[in-house]
Amino acid sequence: MKSQLLYAAVAACALLLAGPASAQGVKIGILNDQSGVYADYGGKYSFEAAKMAVEDFGGSVLGQKIEVITADHQNKPDLATSIARRWYEVEGVDMITELTTSSVALAIHELSRQMKKIDIVVGAATSRLTGDACQPYGFHWAYDTHALAVGTGGALVQAGGDTWFFMTADYAFGYALEKDTSDLIKEKGGKVLGSVRIPLNSSDFSSFLLQAQSSKAKIIGLANAGLDTTNSIKQAAEFGIVKGGQKLAGLLLTLAEVHGLGLEAAQGLVLTEGFYWDHDDKTREFSERFFKRTGRMPNMIQAGTYSATLQYLKAVKAAGSKDTEAVAAKLKELPVDDMFAQGGKVLPNGRMVHDLYLFEVKKPSESKKPWDYYKQLAVVPGDKAFLSAKDSGCPLTK
Protein backbone atom coordinates (compact mmCIF):
# COMPACT_ATOMS: atom_id res chain seq x y z
CA MET A 1 0.00 0.00 0.00
CA LYS A 2 2.85 2.37 0.92
CA SER A 3 4.60 1.64 -2.34
CA GLN A 4 1.37 2.40 -4.29
CA LEU A 5 0.98 5.74 -2.45
CA LEU A 6 4.61 6.56 -3.11
CA TYR A 7 4.20 5.71 -6.80
CA ALA A 8 1.08 7.91 -7.03
CA ALA A 9 2.90 10.83 -5.36
CA VAL A 10 5.89 10.50 -7.71
CA ALA A 11 3.56 10.36 -10.73
CA ALA A 12 1.69 13.47 -9.54
CA CYS A 13 4.98 15.35 -9.09
CA ALA A 14 6.09 14.31 -12.58
CA LEU A 15 2.86 15.69 -14.05
CA LEU A 16 3.31 18.98 -12.23
CA LEU A 17 6.90 19.29 -13.37
CA ALA A 18 5.92 18.47 -16.95
CA GLY A 19 3.48 21.40 -17.00
CA PRO A 20 0.27 21.50 -19.01
CA ALA A 21 -0.28 18.83 -21.62
CA SER A 22 -0.70 21.50 -24.30
CA ALA A 23 2.92 22.54 -23.67
CA GLN A 24 3.93 19.51 -25.78
CA GLY A 25 2.80 21.41 -28.88
CA VAL A 26 3.66 24.96 -29.89
CA LYS A 27 0.98 27.39 -28.79
CA ILE A 28 0.62 31.02 -29.91
CA GLY A 29 -1.84 33.52 -28.41
CA ILE A 30 -3.38 36.46 -30.25
CA LEU A 31 -4.41 38.97 -27.59
CA ASN A 32 -6.11 42.15 -28.80
CA ASP A 33 -9.25 44.29 -28.92
CA GLN A 34 -12.02 42.43 -30.76
CA SER A 35 -15.10 44.37 -29.66
CA GLY A 36 -14.09 48.00 -29.11
CA VAL A 37 -12.48 50.99 -30.76
CA TYR A 38 -9.69 48.88 -32.38
CA ALA A 39 -11.78 45.90 -33.52
CA ASP A 40 -11.29 46.63 -37.26
CA TYR A 41 -7.74 47.88 -36.83
CA GLY A 42 -6.58 44.42 -35.69
CA GLY A 43 -9.29 42.32 -34.09
CA LYS A 44 -10.39 38.94 -35.38
CA TYR A 45 -8.63 39.75 -38.67
CA SER A 46 -5.23 39.54 -36.95
CA PHE A 47 -6.22 36.12 -35.61
CA GLU A 48 -6.98 35.04 -39.19
CA ALA A 49 -3.58 36.36 -40.35
CA ALA A 50 -1.79 34.35 -37.65
CA LYS A 51 -3.65 31.19 -38.70
CA MET A 52 -2.56 31.84 -42.30
CA ALA A 53 1.08 32.05 -41.14
CA VAL A 54 0.77 28.70 -39.35
CA GLU A 55 -0.79 27.08 -42.42
CA ASP A 56 1.89 28.54 -44.72
CA PHE A 57 4.59 27.24 -42.35
CA GLY A 58 3.11 23.74 -42.64
CA GLY A 59 1.11 23.42 -39.40
CA SER A 60 3.89 21.88 -37.30
CA VAL A 61 7.42 22.65 -36.10
CA LEU A 62 10.00 20.28 -34.55
CA GLY A 63 7.45 17.52 -35.07
CA GLN A 64 4.91 19.31 -32.87
CA LYS A 65 1.51 20.67 -33.87
CA ILE A 66 1.11 24.47 -33.84
CA GLU A 67 -2.03 25.88 -32.25
CA VAL A 68 -3.27 29.49 -32.29
CA ILE A 69 -5.72 30.76 -29.68
CA THR A 70 -7.23 34.20 -29.19
CA ALA A 71 -8.91 36.44 -26.62
CA ASP A 72 -10.38 39.94 -26.40
CA HIS A 73 -8.59 42.13 -23.82
CA GLN A 74 -11.15 44.96 -24.23
CA ASN A 75 -8.29 47.51 -23.97
CA LYS A 76 -7.98 46.77 -20.23
CA PRO A 77 -4.41 46.11 -18.98
CA ASP A 78 -5.67 44.23 -15.89
CA LEU A 79 -7.85 41.90 -17.96
CA ALA A 80 -5.06 41.39 -20.51
CA THR A 81 -2.57 40.52 -17.75
CA SER A 82 -5.00 38.03 -16.20
CA ILE A 83 -5.55 36.31 -19.58
CA ALA A 84 -1.83 36.27 -20.40
CA ARG A 85 -0.90 34.88 -16.98
CA ARG A 86 -3.43 32.05 -17.38
CA TRP A 87 -2.18 31.37 -20.91
CA TYR A 88 1.43 31.18 -19.76
CA GLU A 89 0.90 29.26 -16.49
CA VAL A 90 -2.04 26.96 -17.25
CA GLU A 91 -2.57 26.71 -21.01
CA GLY A 92 1.03 26.31 -22.14
CA VAL A 93 1.16 29.34 -24.45
CA ASP A 94 4.71 29.87 -25.72
CA MET A 95 4.36 33.29 -27.37
CA ILE A 96 1.80 36.12 -27.33
CA THR A 97 1.50 38.54 -30.23
CA GLU A 98 -0.58 41.39 -31.73
CA LEU A 99 -1.22 43.17 -28.39
CA THR A 100 -3.13 46.22 -29.59
CA THR A 101 -3.17 49.17 -27.14
CA SER A 102 0.09 50.48 -25.66
CA SER A 103 -0.96 50.29 -22.00
CA VAL A 104 -1.82 46.59 -22.52
CA ALA A 105 1.39 45.89 -24.46
CA LEU A 106 3.55 47.47 -21.73
CA ALA A 107 1.81 45.34 -19.06
CA ILE A 108 2.26 42.09 -21.04
CA HIS A 109 5.85 43.06 -21.88
CA GLU A 110 6.62 43.21 -18.14
CA LEU A 111 4.74 39.97 -17.40
CA SER A 112 6.64 38.21 -20.21
CA ARG A 113 9.92 39.42 -18.74
CA GLN A 114 9.02 38.05 -15.32
CA MET A 115 7.87 34.70 -16.72
CA LYS A 116 10.61 34.40 -19.35
CA LYS A 117 8.15 34.15 -22.24
CA ILE A 118 8.34 35.75 -25.68
CA ASP A 119 5.95 38.48 -26.80
CA ILE A 120 5.97 40.16 -30.20
CA VAL A 121 4.01 43.42 -30.16
CA VAL A 122 2.43 44.39 -33.49
CA GLY A 123 -0.69 46.48 -32.83
CA ALA A 124 0.59 48.79 -30.08
CA ALA A 125 2.62 51.86 -30.96
CA THR A 126 4.64 53.23 -28.07
CA SER A 127 8.37 53.34 -28.78
CA ARG A 128 8.95 52.72 -25.04
CA LEU A 129 8.54 48.98 -25.75
CA THR A 130 12.06 48.89 -27.20
CA GLY A 131 13.19 51.96 -25.22
CA ASP A 132 13.14 52.30 -21.44
CA ALA A 133 10.65 49.38 -21.11
CA CYS A 134 12.66 46.94 -23.26
CA GLN A 135 13.26 43.42 -22.03
CA PRO A 136 15.22 40.38 -23.30
CA TYR A 137 12.19 38.42 -24.59
CA GLY A 138 10.13 41.31 -25.97
CA PHE A 139 9.93 42.34 -29.64
CA HIS A 140 8.18 45.13 -31.56
CA TRP A 141 7.22 44.53 -35.16
CA ALA A 142 5.16 46.65 -37.56
CA TYR A 143 5.77 50.30 -36.59
CA ASP A 144 6.13 52.59 -33.57
CA THR A 145 5.44 56.18 -32.52
CA HIS A 146 8.93 57.31 -33.54
CA ALA A 147 8.51 55.89 -37.05
CA LEU A 148 5.08 57.54 -37.45
CA ALA A 149 6.53 60.86 -36.29
CA VAL A 150 9.38 60.62 -38.80
CA GLY A 151 7.06 59.57 -41.65
CA THR A 152 3.91 61.67 -41.34
CA GLY A 153 5.16 64.41 -39.01
CA GLY A 154 8.42 64.91 -40.89
CA ALA A 155 6.72 65.09 -44.29
CA LEU A 156 4.14 67.66 -43.17
CA VAL A 157 6.69 69.93 -41.45
CA GLN A 158 8.87 69.76 -44.55
CA ALA A 159 5.86 70.78 -46.65
CA GLY A 160 5.37 73.94 -44.55
CA GLY A 161 3.16 72.62 -41.74
CA ASP A 162 5.30 74.19 -39.03
CA THR A 163 2.65 74.91 -36.35
CA TRP A 164 0.80 72.04 -34.66
CA PHE A 165 -1.98 71.37 -32.17
CA PHE A 166 -2.46 67.80 -30.88
CA MET A 167 -5.65 65.90 -30.13
CA THR A 168 -4.19 63.11 -28.03
CA ALA A 169 -5.58 59.79 -26.78
CA ASP A 170 -5.35 59.93 -22.98
CA TYR A 171 -3.14 56.88 -22.35
CA ALA A 172 0.41 55.62 -23.01
CA PHE A 173 0.08 55.41 -26.81
CA GLY A 174 -1.21 58.96 -27.24
CA TYR A 175 1.43 60.46 -24.95
CA ALA A 176 4.23 58.65 -26.78
CA LEU A 177 2.93 59.63 -30.23
CA GLU A 178 2.52 63.29 -29.21
CA LYS A 179 5.99 63.38 -27.61
CA ASP A 180 7.82 61.71 -30.51
CA THR A 181 6.08 63.93 -33.09
CA SER A 182 6.58 67.12 -31.01
CA ASP A 183 10.29 66.38 -30.62
CA LEU A 184 10.64 66.00 -34.38
CA ILE A 185 8.61 69.17 -35.13
CA LYS A 186 10.79 71.24 -32.79
CA GLU A 187 13.97 69.67 -34.18
CA LYS A 188 12.90 70.82 -37.65
CA GLY A 189 12.17 74.37 -36.46
CA GLY A 190 8.38 74.07 -36.02
CA LYS A 191 6.21 74.93 -33.00
CA VAL A 192 3.62 73.07 -30.95
CA LEU A 193 0.87 75.54 -30.02
CA GLY A 194 -0.99 73.26 -27.64
CA SER A 195 -2.67 69.92 -27.07
CA VAL A 196 -5.74 68.37 -25.49
CA ARG A 197 -6.11 64.87 -24.03
CA ILE A 198 -9.18 62.86 -24.95
CA PRO A 199 -10.51 59.71 -23.22
CA LEU A 200 -10.34 56.48 -25.23
CA ASN A 201 -13.53 55.61 -27.09
CA SER A 202 -15.04 59.11 -26.96
CA SER A 203 -18.11 59.80 -29.07
CA ASP A 204 -18.16 63.62 -29.00
CA PHE A 205 -15.02 65.46 -30.14
CA SER A 206 -16.66 68.86 -30.64
CA SER A 207 -15.11 70.75 -27.69
CA PHE A 208 -11.66 69.35 -28.52
CA LEU A 209 -12.00 70.25 -32.20
CA LEU A 210 -13.04 73.81 -31.30
CA GLN A 211 -9.88 74.21 -29.21
CA ALA A 212 -7.80 72.88 -32.10
CA GLN A 213 -9.56 75.19 -34.54
CA SER A 214 -9.10 78.28 -32.37
CA SER A 215 -5.36 77.53 -31.95
CA LYS A 216 -4.92 78.55 -35.64
CA ALA A 217 -2.28 75.80 -35.96
CA LYS A 218 -1.62 74.82 -39.56
CA ILE A 219 -1.71 71.12 -38.63
CA ILE A 220 -4.03 69.37 -36.21
CA GLY A 221 -2.24 66.19 -35.20
CA LEU A 222 -4.59 63.30 -34.39
CA ALA A 223 -2.56 61.31 -31.87
CA ASN A 224 -5.25 58.63 -31.63
CA ALA A 225 -6.26 55.55 -33.62
CA GLY A 226 -9.10 53.30 -34.79
CA LEU A 227 -12.65 54.60 -34.40
CA ASP A 228 -11.38 57.58 -32.39
CA THR A 229 -9.49 58.77 -35.47
CA THR A 230 -12.36 58.20 -37.92
CA ASN A 231 -14.82 59.95 -35.60
CA SER A 232 -12.41 62.89 -35.17
CA ILE A 233 -12.12 63.25 -38.95
CA LYS A 234 -15.88 62.99 -39.55
CA GLN A 235 -16.66 65.61 -36.88
CA ALA A 236 -13.87 67.89 -38.11
CA ALA A 237 -15.66 67.97 -41.47
CA GLU A 238 -18.84 69.17 -39.74
CA PHE A 239 -16.86 72.10 -38.27
CA GLY A 240 -15.35 72.95 -41.67
CA ILE A 241 -11.83 72.69 -40.26
CA VAL A 242 -10.12 71.57 -43.47
CA LYS A 243 -12.20 73.95 -45.60
CA GLY A 244 -11.02 76.71 -43.24
CA GLY A 245 -7.40 76.05 -44.21
CA GLN A 246 -6.14 73.79 -41.42
CA LYS A 247 -4.86 70.28 -42.21
CA LEU A 248 -5.57 67.10 -40.30
CA ALA A 249 -2.68 64.70 -39.73
CA GLY A 250 -3.82 61.16 -38.96
CA LEU A 251 -0.65 60.12 -37.16
CA LEU A 252 -1.80 56.50 -36.85
CA LEU A 253 -4.14 55.76 -39.70
CA THR A 254 -4.37 52.43 -41.52
CA LEU A 255 -6.25 50.99 -44.46
CA ALA A 256 -9.00 49.78 -42.10
CA GLU A 257 -9.84 53.33 -40.96
CA VAL A 258 -9.60 54.75 -44.50
CA HIS A 259 -12.05 52.06 -45.62
CA GLY A 260 -14.36 52.96 -42.74
CA LEU A 261 -14.24 56.65 -43.65
CA GLY A 262 -14.61 56.19 -47.41
CA LEU A 263 -12.57 58.12 -49.99
CA GLU A 264 -14.93 61.10 -50.00
CA ALA A 265 -14.08 61.86 -46.36
CA ALA A 266 -10.50 60.53 -46.31
CA GLN A 267 -9.14 61.96 -49.59
CA GLY A 268 -5.96 63.99 -49.24
CA LEU A 269 -4.98 62.58 -45.83
CA VAL A 270 -1.27 61.84 -45.52
CA LEU A 271 -0.30 58.78 -43.48
CA THR A 272 2.49 56.29 -42.86
CA GLU A 273 2.02 52.51 -43.05
CA GLY A 274 4.48 49.65 -43.09
CA PHE A 275 2.44 47.64 -45.59
CA TYR A 276 0.06 48.19 -48.52
CA TRP A 277 -1.77 45.33 -50.16
CA ASP A 278 -1.15 46.63 -53.72
CA HIS A 279 2.58 47.30 -53.29
CA ASP A 280 4.00 44.35 -55.27
CA ASP A 281 3.23 40.79 -56.41
CA LYS A 282 3.99 39.27 -52.99
CA THR A 283 1.72 41.66 -51.08
CA ARG A 284 -1.06 41.18 -53.64
CA GLU A 285 -0.86 37.38 -53.48
CA PHE A 286 -1.06 37.36 -49.67
CA SER A 287 -3.78 40.03 -49.56
CA GLU A 288 -6.00 38.30 -52.08
CA ARG A 289 -5.87 35.11 -49.99
CA PHE A 290 -6.62 37.16 -46.87
CA PHE A 291 -9.55 38.84 -48.66
CA LYS A 292 -11.08 35.46 -49.56
CA ARG A 293 -11.09 34.56 -45.84
CA THR A 294 -12.17 37.89 -44.37
CA GLY A 295 -13.86 39.99 -47.07
CA ARG A 296 -11.35 42.82 -46.61
CA MET A 297 -7.78 43.73 -47.50
CA PRO A 298 -5.23 43.65 -44.64
CA ASN A 299 -3.64 46.69 -43.04
CA MET A 300 -0.13 46.77 -41.54
CA ILE A 301 -1.32 45.35 -38.20
CA GLN A 302 -2.87 42.26 -39.75
CA ALA A 303 -0.03 41.73 -42.24
CA GLY A 304 2.46 42.41 -39.43
CA THR A 305 0.83 39.73 -37.25
CA TYR A 306 1.29 37.24 -40.09
CA SER A 307 4.97 38.23 -40.34
CA ALA A 308 5.58 38.10 -36.55
CA THR A 309 3.95 34.65 -36.26
CA LEU A 310 5.89 33.27 -39.23
CA GLN A 311 9.20 34.66 -37.95
CA TYR A 312 8.63 33.19 -34.48
CA LEU A 313 8.10 29.74 -36.04
CA LYS A 314 11.24 30.14 -38.16
CA ALA A 315 13.16 31.00 -34.98
CA VAL A 316 11.82 27.93 -33.14
CA LYS A 317 12.88 25.74 -36.07
CA ALA A 318 16.33 27.36 -36.26
CA ALA A 319 16.83 27.02 -32.48
CA GLY A 320 15.72 23.39 -32.59
CA SER A 321 13.81 24.11 -29.39
CA LYS A 322 10.98 26.14 -27.82
CA ASP A 323 13.40 27.35 -25.12
CA THR A 324 12.78 31.07 -24.65
CA GLU A 325 16.45 32.11 -24.48
CA ALA A 326 17.33 30.12 -27.62
CA VAL A 327 14.33 31.36 -29.62
CA ALA A 328 14.85 35.01 -28.56
CA ALA A 329 18.48 34.75 -29.72
CA LYS A 330 17.38 33.38 -33.12
CA LEU A 331 14.75 36.12 -33.50
CA LYS A 332 17.55 38.68 -33.12
CA GLU A 333 19.83 36.80 -35.50
CA LEU A 334 17.60 35.78 -38.44
CA PRO A 335 16.83 38.25 -41.25
CA VAL A 336 13.14 39.03 -41.80
CA ASP A 337 12.28 38.36 -45.41
CA ASP A 338 8.61 37.89 -46.23
CA MET A 339 5.81 39.74 -47.97
CA PHE A 340 5.66 42.23 -45.07
CA ALA A 341 9.34 43.12 -44.78
CA GLN A 342 12.06 42.48 -47.32
CA GLY A 343 15.50 42.72 -45.76
CA GLY A 344 14.14 43.41 -42.26
CA LYS A 345 16.41 42.98 -39.23
CA VAL A 346 15.85 42.75 -35.49
CA LEU A 347 18.00 44.99 -33.28
CA PRO A 348 19.39 43.92 -29.86
CA ASN A 349 16.54 45.85 -28.17
CA GLY A 350 13.90 43.77 -30.03
CA ARG A 351 12.94 46.42 -32.59
CA MET A 352 12.31 44.97 -36.06
CA VAL A 353 13.62 47.50 -38.59
CA HIS A 354 12.09 47.68 -42.06
CA ASP A 355 11.04 50.31 -44.59
CA LEU A 356 7.77 52.20 -44.18
CA TYR A 357 5.83 54.16 -46.77
CA LEU A 358 4.36 57.65 -46.84
CA PHE A 359 0.98 57.60 -48.60
CA GLU A 360 -1.67 60.09 -49.61
CA VAL A 361 -5.28 58.91 -49.75
CA LYS A 362 -6.63 59.09 -53.31
CA LYS A 363 -9.57 61.18 -54.45
CA PRO A 364 -12.59 59.07 -55.42
CA SER A 365 -11.91 59.91 -59.09
CA GLU A 366 -8.37 58.51 -58.84
CA SER A 367 -9.41 55.11 -57.46
CA LYS A 368 -9.59 52.47 -60.19
CA LYS A 369 -10.85 49.42 -58.26
CA PRO A 370 -12.12 48.37 -54.81
CA TRP A 371 -9.56 49.02 -52.02
CA ASP A 372 -7.44 51.16 -54.39
CA TYR A 373 -6.95 53.87 -51.78
CA TYR A 374 -3.31 55.00 -51.65
CA LYS A 375 -0.75 56.74 -53.79
CA GLN A 376 2.82 56.39 -52.53
CA LEU A 377 4.64 59.67 -51.86
CA ALA A 378 7.90 58.34 -50.43
CA VAL A 379 9.73 55.39 -48.92
CA VAL A 380 10.82 55.99 -45.32
CA PRO A 381 13.99 53.86 -44.94
CA GLY A 382 13.99 51.66 -41.83
CA ASP A 383 17.22 53.09 -40.43
CA LYS A 384 15.68 56.60 -40.62
CA ALA A 385 12.24 55.58 -39.34
CA PHE A 386 13.36 53.70 -36.22
CA LEU A 387 15.80 54.65 -33.49
CA SER A 388 19.04 52.69 -33.36
CA ALA A 389 19.40 50.34 -30.39
CA LYS A 390 21.98 52.63 -28.77
CA ASP A 391 19.74 55.71 -29.16
CA SER A 392 16.56 53.95 -28.01
CA GLY A 393 17.15 54.26 -24.27
CA CYS A 394 16.98 50.48 -23.85
CA PRO A 395 19.10 49.50 -20.83
CA LEU A 396 19.94 46.13 -22.45
CA THR A 397 22.03 47.86 -25.12
CA LYS A 398 24.23 49.97 -22.84
Side-chain angles (χ1 to χ4, degrees):
M1 183 70 179
K2 278 183 182 174
S3 63
Q4 285 178 319
L5 286 170
L6 183 63
Y7 178 81
V10 169
C13 286
L15 279 171
L16 284 170
L17 289 169
S22 57
Q24 299 311 306
V26 174
K27 205 165 186 180
I28 294 167
I30 305 299
L31 187 56
N32 63 6
D33 174 14
Q34 297 176 16
S35 56
V37 66
Y38 301 136
D40 281 354
Y41 167 85
K44 62 185 180 184
Y45 309 108
S46 291
F47 179 46
E48 206 60 41
K51 289 194 291 183
M52 285 176 70
V54 170
E55 288 165 22
D56 289 352
F57 192 78
S60 67
V61 63
L62 308 180
Q64 299 179 358
K65 186 182 172 220
I66 305 160
E67 186 183 354
V68 186
I69 63 171
T70 188
D72 181 357
H73 62 45
Q74 299 172 34
N75 299 309
K76 296 172 182 171
D78 289 353
L79 176 61
T81 303
S82 170
I83 293 166
R85 188 178 291 280
R86 186 184 77 242
W87 278 1
Y88 284 153
E89 290 182 340
V90 179
E91 297 190 34
V93 168
D94 299 292
M95 186 273 281
I96 296 177
T97 187
E98 220 276 42
L99 292 167
T100 313
T101 316
S102 291
S103 51
V104 164
L106 287 164
I108 303 308
H109 218 49
E110 175 55 22
L111 179 72
S112 300
R113 182 191 68 77
Q114 292 168 14
M115 302 190 71
K116 292 195 172 181
K117 293 281 194 173
I118 287 172
D119 70 67
I120 306 179
V121 177
V122 182
T126 179
S127 54
R128 287 189 58 211
L129 289 159
T130 50
D132 67 323
C134 75
Q135 51 100 337
Y137 320 115
F139 298 84
H140 201 180
W141 223 247
Y143 72 106
D144 65 21
T145 50
H146 185 269
L148 298 175
V150 170
T152 308
L156 289 168
V157 175
Q158 213 164 322
D162 56 2
T163 57
W164 286 63
F165 184 96
F166 286 94
M167 292 176 55
T168 302
D170 192 11
Y171 74 102
F173 149 66
Y175 313 149
L177 188 49
E178 180 185 327
K179 182 191 180 300
D180 285 350
T181 311
S182 296
D183 288 350
L184 187 123
I185 291 162
K186 291 167 191 170
E187 189 185 301
K188 290 184 174 288
K191 288 181 184 173
V192 177
L193 303 183
S195 69
V196 63
R197 290 186 170 176
I198 307 169
L200 182 67
N201 205 13
S202 293
S203 56
D204 184 4
F205 292 84
S206 52
S207 65
F208 311 119
L209 285 161
L210 285 169
Q211 288 179 64
Q213 192 173 36
S214 62
S215 75
K216 307 289 191 223
K218 291 178 187 174
I219 309 288
I220 297 170
L222 303 177
N224 53 15
L227 285 175
D228 283 349
T229 301
T230 55
N231 288 334
S232 302
I233 293 167
K234 285 174 183 172
Q235 290 177 35
E238 293 165 19
F239 284 93
I241 284 175
V242 175
K243 284 181 181 169
Q246 290 172 296
K247 271 194 173 178
L248 296 176
L251 292 167
L252 177 47
L253 200 62
T254 76
L255 195 75
E257 292 77 61
V258 171
H259 182 68
L261 279 165
L263 290 184
E264 193 60 51
Q267 61 184 306
L269 284 168
V270 173
L271 58 97
T272 302
E273 276 212 68
F275 175 87
Y276 182 46
W277 73 270
D278 204 14
H279 180 69
D280 59 28
D281 288 344
K282 281 185 178 179
T283 60
R284 281 188 284 273
E285 187 275 331
F286 166 77
S287 300
E288 279 154 16
R289 287 195 291 129
F290 184 88
F291 184 87
K292 281 177 185 167
R293 297 168 74 125
T294 64
R296 60 196 296 126
M297 288 299 185
N299 64 4
M300 69 173 165
I301 311 306
Q302 292 136 11
T305 301
Y306 173 94
S307 173
T309 304
L310 192 64
Q311 195 70 9
Y312 171 74
L313 295 171
K314 288 177 182 175
V316 170
K317 184 179 179 182
S321 163
K322 294 196 304 178
D323 174 72
T324 295
E325 300 277 359
V327 175
K330 285 296 176 188
L331 278 166
K332 289 173 184 174
E333 179 188 311
L334 295 172
V336 183
D337 206 1
D338 55 29
M339 59 79 208
F340 180 80
Q342 284 95 51
K345 61 183 178 184
V346 178
L347 302 182
N349 62 346
R351 174 68 258 170
M352 198 275 276
V353 172
H354 59 105
D355 293 347
L356 287 93
Y357 307 95
L358 186 70
F359 295 114
E360 184 178 322
V361 179
K362 290 182 173 183
K363 297 172 184 167
S365 60
E366 294 172 319
S367 178
K368 305 293 183 225
K369 57 189 173 185
W371 296 89
D372 176 25
Y373 294 161
Y374 291 169
K375 52 186 174 190
Q376 187 176 307
L377 302 179
V379 176
V380 187
D383 58 356
K384 298 275 193 298
F386 299 103
L387 287 166
S388 68
K390 78 176 174 62
D391 292 334
S392 67
C394 171
L396 296 176
T397 61
K398 287 179 181 171

